[in-house]
Amino acid sequence: KAGVTQTPRYLIKTRGQQVTLSCSPISGHRSVSWYQQTPGQGLQFLFEYFSETQRNKGNFPGRFSGRQFSNSRSEMNVSTLELGDSALYLCASSLEQGKRTDTQYFGPGTRLTVL
Amino acid sequence: AQKVTQAQTEISVVEKEDVTLDCVYETRDTTYYLFWYKQPPSGELVFLIRRNSFDEQNEISGRYSWNFQKSTSSFNFTITASQVVDSAVYFCALTSSWDNYGQNFVFGPGTRLSVLP
């Protein structure tokens, strides 16, 4: 099976702009989670989607949003970008049960740089 | 609240040495799952192992081995005869099943392992 894919891999934006990142989960996986990774804060949970519904959300401002499509592909959007949003954004998918105990499989990430 | 601590920020070893990465966790749940992931320079987190709280049996997979001890809330990871390709950041993670609903992994800060030739 193909792994989790994320596009684009690299992105450069300026402050105030918005950005959309895309994630395609492993075939058959219905749960998609997003994480932000920075040197200072480490890996932080953003949100999780299952069957097109957001089930969990981390402690991030409303500028961070996401959605999931019927084919389980997911997008996350960050509006009004700030310098502190520069990070590696990782997407993970897990088995169709979407349970808390499922193993998450990660994509290669999208490295976002905000200038 | 759940928490994962990896006290070792960085470790450097010479090739062929054995190295142990420490992981200490906190949770109030009686059923939980622990994971180790490896993040090479490419950035992708690679799943290594998953262990549930009811299974304290140690596991060995090739040069990798894991020591899970509930009494000390630790889930340590040992690489035997390390190789340069083992150089990466290693993360320990925890999730619980108290409601078996939704995913929310808690990751430790990671340990950067450098294996020198």
Side-chain angles (χ1 to χ4, degrees):
Chain A
K1 280 185 179 179
V4 178
T5 58
Q6 292 186 245
T7 57
R9 293 293 311 278
Y10 302 91
L11 208 49
I12 299 175
K13 292 285 188 179
T14 57
R15 278 183 300 175
Q17 287 187 310
Q18 75 166 16
V19 66
T20 298
L21 312 181
S22 180
C23 171
S24 292
I26 293 171
S27 177
H29 287 195
R30 290 164 59 192
S31 172
V32 173
S33 297
W34 288 89
Y35 293 83
Q36 181 196 65
Q37 185 178 25
T38 59
Q41 300 298 319
L43 275 157
Q44 295 187 91
F45 172 73
L46 279 157
F47 29 63
E48 185 231 355
Y49 287 87
F50 180 74
S51 292
E52 303 178 64
T53 302
Q54 185 182 89
R55 295 200 301 187
N56 281 306
K57 191 177 191 308
N59 189 25
F60 278 81
R63 300 185 297 107
F64 291 81
S65 63
R67 59 177 176 169
Q68 186 180 34
F69 302 95
S70 58
N71 61 359
S72 295
R73 190 178 69 86
S74 177
E75 289 181 347
M76 68 163 281
N77 183 277
V78 188
S79 62
T80 319
L81 284 167
E82 301 177 358
L83 295 179
D85 297 333
S86 294
L88 179 66
Y89 290 89
L90 291 161
C91 168
S93 74
S94 59
L95 288 172
E96 60 268 26
Q97 289 88 349
K99 295 178 182 176
R100 189 179 285 268
T101 58
D102 287 345
T103 297
Q104 292 192 335
Y105 296 91
F106 285 79
T110 294
R111 184 163 297 282
L112 172 64
T113 301
V114 182
L115 303 176
Chain B
Q2 298 186 116
K3 184 178 179 181
V4 176
T5 301
Q6 295 178 257
Q8 304 148 308
T9 306
E10 294 191 38
I11 301 176
S12 288
V13 298
V14 177
E15 208 170 15
K16 298 184 182 178
E17 286 185 2
D18 298 347
V19 58
T20 296
L21 309 182
D22 298 332
C23 172
V24 174
Y25 61 92
E26 295 176 28
T27 180
R28 296 179 182 175
D29 301 316
T30 56
T31 302
Y32 50 89
Y33 291 76
L34 295 161
F35 301 79
W36 275 95
Y37 286 86
K38 171 183 179 180
Q39 187 176 41
S42 60
E44 180 174 347
L45 269 78
V46 177
F47 167 70
L48 295 176
I49 191 172
R50 158 196 163 112
R51 171 71 75 212
N52 73 56
S53 52
F54 294 107
D55 183 2
E56 288 194 70
Q57 195 170 23
N58 291 335
E59 180 158 338
I60 298 174
S61 175
R63 296 185 297 107
Y64 297 168
S65 62
W66 289 269
N67 185 338
F68 175 36
Q69 292 192 341
K70 285 180 73 171
S71 60
T72 56
S73 297
S74 65
F75 186 41
N76 297 337
F77 172 34
T78 296
I79 302 175
T80 303
S82 60
Q83 300 176 1
V84 173
V85 294
D86 296 326
S87 297
V89 181
Y90 290 84
F91 292 93
C92 182
L94 166 71
T95 188
S96 67
S97 64
W98 61 272
D99 64 356
N100 215 27
Y101 178 81
Q103 295 262 266
N104 188 355
F105 275 39
V106 174
F107 283 87
T111 296
R112 181 177 299 278
L113 174 64
S114 297
V115 181
L116 308 175

